Amino acid sequence: MLCETVGVSTLHPAAAPLSFLLGSWSGEGRGAYPTIDDFAYREWVSFRHTGKPFLVYEQRTADAATGAPMHAESGYLRAVGDGRVELVLAQPSGITEIHAGTVEGRTVRLATTTVGVAPSAKRVDALERDLTVDGDVLTYEVRMAAMGQPMTHHLAAELRREAEG
Ligand code: HEM
């Protein structure tokens, strides 16, 4: 559903620079890391607003071959003025990410200021996320410093905007 709202239909003016993200997206991605085998996944993403100066972000993924659920995450993309954005994110794998970055045109660039790991979660030290929209195609890349590795590519995906309604 495009621009789902909670009793408010007007986008907050501060969130206007992020409006190109609003809606539902789906597609495919590929993952890699020096410590694991490469993998392919399906992905579903939505960005919606509530009338406040942030977008609500929800994501889930599934194994491209078997359909088994994989990674999921949800959070808030905050518009904080002057082209600056912050992302607050939680994952069921026991990891939280807080990012600071920029929105320029239809590109968001983020780097973590803080990563939280639950006592049983895998070690993650830092992440970088770049996301860009060109027409109805959203592409992103995620790099991470984790498991004792330096900042290294983990994910790249290409999603398409889903039809409204
Ligand atoms: C589209 C989203 C993602 C998918 C589909 C995905 C998938 C995977 C898969 C299949 C593995 C290998 C199996 C495993 O150990 O669980 C893995 C490993 C890992 N992922 Fe991701 N991942 C995603 C996002 C992330 C994010 C955002 C982080 C960090 C915040 C992350 C951190 C890790 C870590 C630390 C490992 C363990 C590597 C190791 O055991 O050496 N992943 N991921």
Side-chain angles (χ1 to χ4, degrees):
M1 183 188 300
L2 190 65
C3 304
E4 184 186 320
T5 56
V6 182
V8 180
S9 57
T10 309
L11 182 66
H12 192 287
L18 296 171
S19 62
F20 65 94
L21 291 169
L22 286 167
S24 298
W25 307 81
S26 63
E28 278 163 25
R30 300 197 64 84
Y33 209 63
T35 53
I36 57 171
D37 292 336
D38 294 0
F39 56 91
Y41 58 94
R42 294 266 313 146
E43 179 166 19
W44 297 266
V45 162
S46 75
F47 289 96
R48 59 190 168 85
H49 78 92
T50 68
K52 298 195 76 180
F54 58 80
L55 302 188
V56 181
Y57 163 69
E58 287 171 317
Q59 181 251 33
R60 67 185 178 88
T61 61
D63 187 301
T66 67
M70 285 177 115
H71 180 96
E73 57 190 31
S74 61
Y76 303 95
L77 184 59
R78 295 155 42 80
V80 294
D82 297 329
R84 289 174 300 118
V85 293
E86 296 171 350
L87 176 67
V88 177
L89 205 57
Q91 297 155 12
S93 49
I95 297 166
T96 62
E97 302 172 33
I98 295 179
H99 289 255
T102 57
V103 54
E104 261 186 73
R106 295 182 156 224
T107 299
V108 176
R109 288 199 173 83
L110 295 159
T112 47
T113 58
T114 311
V115 178
V117 286
S120 64
K122 293 199 171 174
R123 177 180 161 192
V124 178
D125 298 318
L127 291 110
E128 295 172 348
R129 292 174 178 253
D130 298 330
L131 181 161
T132 193
V133 170
D134 184 4
D136 280 343
V137 178
L138 183 160
T139 53
Y140 73 80
E141 198 182 312
V142 175
R143 298 173 292 280
M144 66 178 177
M147 310 301 285
Q149 303 291 313
M151 191 63 75
T152 306
H153 174 80
H154 186 38
L155 309 164
E158 184 173 303
L159 313 181
R160 290 189 174 270
R161 187 184 287 284
E162 289 183 348
E164 207 175 329

